[in-house]
Amino acid sequence: MIIDALRAPAAISLSLVLMWACEPSMDGPDASRADAGVAVQDGGDAGRAAGDDAGRDLDGGDAMDAGPPVTATCEGVDCSGHGRCVVDGSVARCECDEGRAPVGPTCLAVNTPSWPLEVAGWNRTRLYPGLPYVSRVAVRGGAYPYRFTLVEGPAGLSIDGRTGTMTWTPETLGESAVVVRISDSLGASETLTLTLTVTTDGARFVSPSGSDGAAGSREAPWRSLDHAIEAGGADSTVYIEPGTYPVTGRIGSGAPEAFVGLGETRPVLDFGGSATAIGRDADQRLLFQGLEVRNGGAKLFWLQGRSSHIVFHRCDLHGVRSDSANNPALIFSEDNGARTPGEVASYDDLVVQECALHDQASTLGHGGGVVLYDVGRALLEDNEAFDIDGHCIQDKDDGYRNVFRHNVLHGCEIGVSLLNQASQEDTEISYNLAFDVVEAVRIGHQPGWIRGIYVHHNTSVGAPIRMRWSIGNDGSGDINVYANLIVHGPAFRTENPDTHGDITTAGRVAIDGNLSFSGSGVVYESHWGGRTWTFEEWRGLGFDESGRFEDPRLDGERRLPPGSALRGRFGRE
């Protein structure tokens, strides 16, 4: 691949109606094969001019009128027999009995995250005349999936209703107001207001035909990216023409804030076998968009200090090697020490969307595609990680309110791991697809505590969700696993011999509303196979009262068949 759906937002299909009786298709990347392509940077056909009519948005790349509000119905919203369906305009939702939480059309015996709907990362607002503008509105909190509507904007600006990706090619200088309404699947909304400035100020250009003795303008570009990093100036945007650029410098507080690839062929940044460190002030921001970055030694990007508000969008990151247990990774954040519970430790608001992360080689199976220490409020969404000797995504220590959503994870040991070296708090793992992995998700691993964990609506083929002994540590608990679809093997695994006792301890782990299926009939096994439970035995322990044990008959692309009654209840669709 690298994910067919990353070639343009139009390839990600979602027909979203804000009611659970008509659950959206969560089909995202076609992850059944891997070829060399990556997303083109221009985002495909921008469609009709969104600014001609307020309230217009894009679904899959074609502009359309928002039309009259959809009236929801309670058809198919059974609330699992533990509540009642309530219609509120375009939303049909469950009001659940005490001790149950609304999850789509069901009421489950779990806790769900109650984080506020908010915009994550940042959107570039300085544009260059005549160049395509692509910027995705990233969102955390609320109830996924979201709906994005362009309320106000200049003629020609479009937004993808599913992803929030804005596209525009401005032609004239000036300022334009943009207002985007973000609605979640339970009817909550938030508004993002931007002022887009079309200007030549703050723009720097790099080209294989340029010279570092030139002005760095579009007409007289620089030759090397190292020179642009050193001379570009803080708050500037570096536009990079297709070509290959050696990079040896550190991206510090005085470096430009945005590096944007031009053209349909990605510019290549070659790190020459060494990591590129990012050391920025906590209130600064940084964007990498539309780039191929390769050959980083043991690490590719190495976050240091309190570097925050870093966005990777539509990048192809690959090529790290290590023979040591030194956390080799394509994106790595350095350990800065202890975290205060309820707060971000060091690195705030990291966003990685629509990127390919691959070719991480570790002879010890250490590290991963992304290895995070001390990161809070991160969003990793719509990425593909594969050919990773370690873990596809590893939240190793002191993670807080991180979201790992709608990624495709394969060809690694573990899809997403929460390793709580010291702590792990308020983390959501949702709507991911995992296959060709040993474990889809690992909850707990090291001596610290882990709590406030929400693992839901994931699809896993042939790999369980595993909980390790640290879920029994003091301070651990409130671990919730629900609405997942796990087939072709046991759905759950714990450490042998005693961790199965930790999951049955009141208040530590809640598991409900999952669909599992295995040819052996086994739903749970301890790590060494010393204990197994069938679905009925599993339910007898108080788990998956609203779950099912049946073959969902996934198709060749690991999706539920069209029209399946299981859609919207189990897995990522």
Side-chain angles (χ1 to χ4, degrees):
M1 265 179 202
I2 306 158
I3 304 185
D4 289 348
L6 296 190
R7 295 186 180 277
I12 303 178
S13 172
L14 177 69
S15 176
L16 174 56
V17 178
L18 292 179
M19 55 179 160
W20 292 115
C22 188
E23 179 68 18
S25 166
M26 295 310 301
D27 296 353
D30 171 5
S32 60
R33 49 200 172 86
D35 44 72
V38 206
V40 295
Q41 193 266 334
D42 64 6
D45 180 8
R48 293 169 53 197
D52 293 343
D53 188 9
R56 187 170 294 169
D57 60 9
L58 277 176
D59 240 347
D62 296 322
M64 65 179 188
D65 292 320
V70 176
T71 301
T73 73
C74 284
E75 182 180 356
V77 185
D78 57 19
C79 303
S80 307
H82 292 287
R84 67 189 186 96
C85 174
V86 176
V87 175
D88 182 9
S90 62
V91 176
R93 56 184 174 82
C94 289
E95 288 187 351
C96 298
D97 299 340
E98 186 176 355
R100 305 271 170 170
V103 178
T106 64
C107 289
L108 303 180
V110 297
N111 293 324
T112 58
S114 57
W115 311 334
L117 186 67
E118 63 180 7
V119 175
W122 64 282
N123 295 94
R124 184 165 58 93
T125 57
R126 184 187 295 157
L127 289 62
Y128 196 91
L131 292 183
Y133 171 70
V134 179
S135 188
R136 179 169 177 174
V137 180
V139 180
R140 287 184 298 261
Y144 180 83
Y146 311 116
R147 178 69 169 183
F148 300 86
T149 303
L150 184 63
V151 177
E152 179 181 349
L157 177 69
S158 301
I159 191 165
D160 186 292
R162 182 281 201 214
T163 67
T165 302
M166 298 181 290
T167 56
W168 186 33
T169 302
E171 299 297 340
T172 58
L173 303 178
E175 292 186 349
S176 298
V178 172
V179 179
V180 176
R181 183 172 64 248
I182 306 158
S183 305
D184 76 359
S185 58
L186 292 180
S189 64
E190 183 63 62
T191 299
L192 172 65
T193 301
L194 302 170
T195 299
L196 301 185
T197 302
V198 183
T199 178
T200 58
D201 294 343
R204 312 287 185 259
F205 288 83
V206 178
S207 169
S209 62
S211 167
D212 287 346
S217 63
R218 190 175 189 187
E219 296 75 18
W222 290 324
R223 172 62 183 88
S224 72
L225 201 57
D226 279 347
H227 183 74
I229 292 171
E230 291 297 321
D235 302 329
S236 65
T237 297
V238 178
Y239 294 98
I240 308 170
E241 296 282 357
T244 299
Y245 303 89
V247 177
T248 59
R250 181 176 186 269
I251 301 176
S253 58
E257 70 174 12
F259 297 86
V260 178
L262 297 176
E264 294 189 4
T265 301
R266 292 179 186 279
V268 177
L269 280 55
D270 192 307
F271 286 2
S274 298
T276 288
I278 298 174
R280 311 268 287 181
D281 296 336
D283 60 350
Q284 290 185 293
R285 57 193 191 178
L286 186 61
L287 167 69
F288 300 95
Q289 183 180 49
L291 303 171
E292 178 183 349
V293 189
R294 69 187 187 192
N295 193 18
K299 296 174 177 67
L300 201 64
F301 288 99
W302 188 332
L303 278 58
Q304 299 174 346
R306 294 185 61 83
S307 300
S308 298
H309 315 296
I310 300 175
V311 175
F312 294 87
H313 183 221
R314 297 188 181 178
C315 290
D316 178 10
L317 310 180
H318 63 96
V320 295
R321 304 283 185 275
S322 177
D323 296 321
S324 302
N326 58 351
N327 295 299
L330 300 163
I331 301 174
F332 172 80
S333 58
E334 187 172 286
D335 190 357
N336 282 338
R339 177 183 68 89
T340 301
E343 296 181 4
V344 175
S346 295
Y347 311 98
D348 187 22
D349 196 26
L350 169 69
V351 174
V352 185
Q353 290 181 307
E354 300 179 64
C355 290
L357 305 140
H358 60 109
D359 191 19
Q360 179 263 14
S362 168
T363 56
L364 300 180
H366 206 252
V370 177
V371 176
L372 304 179
Y373 283 86
D374 302 347
V375 173
R377 303 193 316 137
L379 172 65
L380 275 68
E381 179 180 36
D382 287 333
N383 304 293
E384 182 183 13
F386 61 99
D387 289 347
I388 304 291
D389 282 347
H391 305 176
C392 279
I393 299 172
Q394 183 182 108
D395 198 346
K396 191 159 187 176
D397 184 30
D398 286 335
Y400 172 67
R401 201 159 285 190
N402 294 332
V403 178
F404 307 106
R405 182 173 64 213
H406 208 251
N407 302 289
V408 176
L409 311 167
H410 60 105
C412 53
E413 180 188 357
I414 302 174
V416 181
S417 61
L418 308 179
L419 301 190
N420 64 297
Q421 187 165 292
S423 73
Q424 185 77 40
E425 184 178 15
D426 289 359
T427 304
E428 183 176 9
I429 303 171
S430 59
Y431 294 97
N432 300 289
L433 169 64
F435 63 97
D436 189 23
V437 297
V438 179
E439 301 167 22
V441 177
R442 178 177 292 182
I443 306 171
H445 181 81
Q446 293 183 300
W449 53 266
I450 180 169
R451 63 172 177 255
I453 308 303
Y454 309 93
V455 180
H456 64 96
H457 291 98
N458 301 286
T459 296
S460 175
V461 179
I465 295 172
R466 182 180 176 189
M467 290 164 276
R468 293 201 68 187
W469 55 271
S470 55
I471 66 172
N473 289 352
D474 290 343
S476 295
D478 192 22
I479 296 166
N480 303 276
V481 182
Y482 55 96
N484 300 287
L485 189 157
I486 311 167
V487 297
H488 303 327
F492 303 98
R493 180 179 295 160
T494 63
E495 207 72 19
N496 192 59
D498 297 322
T499 312
H500 62 269
D502 294 325
I503 69 171
T504 57
T505 300
R508 289 201 185 274
V509 179
I511 302 173
D512 196 14
N514 300 285
L515 185 146
S516 55
F517 181 76
S518 67
S520 67
V522 171
V523 170
Y524 162 89
E525 67 176 4
S526 59
H527 184 54
W528 302 110
R531 181 187 296 268
T532 60
W533 289 321
T534 64
F535 184 66
E536 291 306 315
E537 292 170 329
W538 183 244
R539 294 187 74 181
L541 294 168
F543 299 127
D544 274 328
E545 177 186 337
S546 298
R548 297 187 192 179
F549 184 83
E550 64 180 84
D551 186 353
R553 303 189 182 280
L554 300 182
D555 65 19
E557 296 180 341
R558 304 171 182 87
R559 295 171 175 160
L560 289 166
S564 171
L566 303 177
R567 284 177 173 256
R569 290 177 178 263
F570 306 103
R572 71 196 309 252
E573 299 176 84

